[in-house]
Amino acid sequence: MPTLGRFHYLEALPPDGLSQARLRGAGSGLLGTLVLIHGFPLSARMWEPQLALAAQGWRVIAPQLRGFDGTAAGSVAASVDDFAGDLIDLLDGLHIDHAVIGGLSMGGYITLALFRHAARYFRGMVLADTRAQADPPEAAAGRQRMLTAVRERGAVAAADEMLPKLVCDATRFQQPAVVDALRAMIMSNSTETVAGALIAIVARPDATAVLPTIHCPTLIVVGDQDAITPPALSEDLRRGIPGSSLVVVPDAGHMSNMEQPAAFNAALASFLERRV
Ligand code: MLT
């Protein structure tokens, strides 16, 4: 995984042989940069299926959030703003001043925080299996219970709680490799990192008021069986963001990008080609 100072990220570049005809209008041979922010309590590796979008002419970058997957041990983020600040530093370090930026679930919360701080970086936005609303009191109480369990038992407590909800039944039974990959990602994270991210999630501000200020092209994607951020929350995002479009991915739960990578990538490729 490439690094830049304290930052780690996955990266895929368009193949050299990509014809200029395909890259119409892109003098540099690159259509642009797509930045994808991972969910909780996972890792940048959840975006491996989306690295294939490089074949469409996009530089794809999936940052490892601070502390995840064993990176930058000892430094823990405690707010979505901390994560957003890291991403601004990474974008600046890579000399990327304009990109399509998106995330799944917690990655979406961080995307909205990043937009609140630095809208100028956004050429487009992708919000996958996420929501704008803050946690209602009963959800915050559930997070508090998970936090206690994580502090007692480590990342395995988050795996026990999250894995049954992350994918739909069809994925669980027919794609055990996806569940195994999710478990491995969760278990690669330290207690401190998982606890810090949980604190950041609970403390995130309600982003509903940000939605009408988003004027870049925006794609919203959700699995039709998402049990954590159900499609109705994506409908709220679509209604709130002017001109946005919503794609519901069939036969997918919360991890729509991993459960149905072909459909997810097709939605993203069509958005990048037609809207951005
Ligand atoms: C995620 O996938 O990032 C989490 O499910 C976020 C959440 O629980 O709100």
Side-chain angles (χ1 to χ4, degrees):
M1 192 177 280
T3 59
L4 179 80
R6 65 193 170 93
F7 299 113
H8 301 239
Y9 55 95
L10 287 180
E11 179 176 32
L13 292 165
D16 285 344
L18 209 58
S19 74
Q20 285 304 312
R22 181 132 190 81
L23 295 173
R24 58 190 175 283
S28 65
L30 191 68
L31 291 179
T33 301
L34 172 66
V35 177
L36 295 171
I37 307 166
H38 68 78
F40 169 87
L42 302 168
S43 113
R45 285 180 283 138
M46 64 162 274
W47 292 116
E48 275 167 359
Q50 280 64 53
L51 298 180
L53 288 160
Q56 315 290 321
W58 288 78
R59 178 187 189 185
V60 185
I61 292 180
Q64 197 66 275
L65 294 173
R66 197 196 302 187
F68 281 83
D69 206 13
T71 57
S75 116
V76 173
S79 70
V80 287
D81 296 335
D82 287 344
F83 288 125
D86 284 350
L87 292 170
I88 290 171
D89 288 346
L90 175 63
L91 292 174
D92 289 348
L94 293 172
H95 306 291
I96 296 169
D97 50 18
H98 213 202
V100 176
I101 304 174
L104 184 139
S105 201
M106 177 181 75
Y109 310 157
I110 295 168
T111 299
L112 292 170
L114 181 56
F115 184 86
R116 188 161 36 81
H117 288 290
R120 65 184 178 281
Y121 288 93
F122 282 78
R123 184 174 162 197
M125 187 184 291
V126 180
L127 295 170
D129 299 273
T130 192
R131 57 156 78 78
Q133 294 90 339
D135 284 348
E138 62 277 16
R143 308 254 198 219
Q144 213 56 50
R145 283 192 294 278
M146 200 197 308
L147 183 58
T148 304
V150 166
R151 284 183 170 143
E152 283 169 8
R153 300 196 292 125
V156 70
D160 289 349
E161 165 121 14
M162 298 294 295
L163 274 175
K165 295 187 279 195
L166 285 176
V167 298
C168 69
D169 284 347
T171 302
R172 196 178 334 282
F173 297 120
Q174 291 159 23
Q175 301 191 74
V178 170
V179 180
D180 291 348
L182 286 165
R183 182 184 297 281
M185 280 187 247
I186 299 174
M187 295 308 294
S188 74
N189 295 320
S190 68
T191 300
E192 294 70 31
T193 296
V194 176
L198 255 178
I199 291 166
I201 289 175
V202 184
R204 76 189 189 280
D206 192 296
T208 307
V210 176
L211 303 184
T213 71
I214 299 173
H215 291 296
C216 58
T218 298
L219 172 68
I220 300 152
V221 191
V222 66
D224 64 345
Q225 294 158 57
D226 185 336
I228 295 179
T229 47
L233 294 171
S234 286
E235 279 291 351
D236 292 344
L237 288 170
R238 190 192 57 76
R239 273 193 296 273
I241 302 175
S244 61
S245 44
L246 168 62
V247 173
V248 180
V249 178
D251 303 316
H254 190 57
M255 300 306 301
S256 58
N257 74 305
M258 292 177 67
E259 299 179 68
Q260 298 296 341
F264 190 98
N265 286 4
L268 216 46
S270 158
F271 168 71
L272 293 172
E273 185 171 337
R274 290 168 197 198
R275 296 283 319 281
V276 178

